[in-house]
Amino acid sequence: MTMMGIDPRELDDHDLLRELRHLHATRTDTFLHGSDDALATHTSRTNELESEYLRRYPERQVDPERLREGARQR
């Protein structure tokens, strides 16, 4: 276990995505209303989970609309 929960490497893909979705859903509330410690913990855990996702999926599908060129075409 990490200081903030289960080691991301031990989570299966489903649980990893669930945890990422939850953290992203709670980010604004933590940013606006959480203590400095809560924000630091949230940021650290998000980084852990996102790093693990990128390790597993280095060639993840990138939406062309999310690239600079796609934005220019809009």
Side-chain angles (χ1 to χ4, degrees):
M1 277 182 89
T2 68
M3 201 169 129
M4 294 167 279
I6 297 172
D7 186 326
R9 294 172 294 182
E10 295 178 18
L11 296 171
D12 64 27
D13 289 351
H14 173 78
D15 290 337
L16 179 62
L17 283 172
R18 184 192 70 235
E19 291 295 314
L20 280 167
R21 286 185 178 111
H22 176 73
L23 283 168
H24 289 156
T26 60
R27 181 63 182 181
T28 300
D29 191 50
T30 304
F31 179 73
L32 294 175
H33 307 293
S35 67
D36 290 345
D37 285 343
L39 182 58
T41 299
H42 197 280
T43 300
S44 181
R45 183 62 173 170
T46 300
N47 288 339
E48 282 184 347
L49 294 170
E50 287 178 347
S51 293
E52 177 59 18
Y53 184 87
L54 292 173
R55 185 190 70 76
R56 291 183 195 186
Y57 302 102
E59 302 296 325
R60 71 192 194 286
Q61 183 177 0
V62 176
D63 182 349
E65 293 290 318
R66 303 289 301 201
L67 300 173
R68 211 173 278 191
E69 187 63 33
R72 285 188 191 121
Q73 291 176 6
R74 283 188 296 231

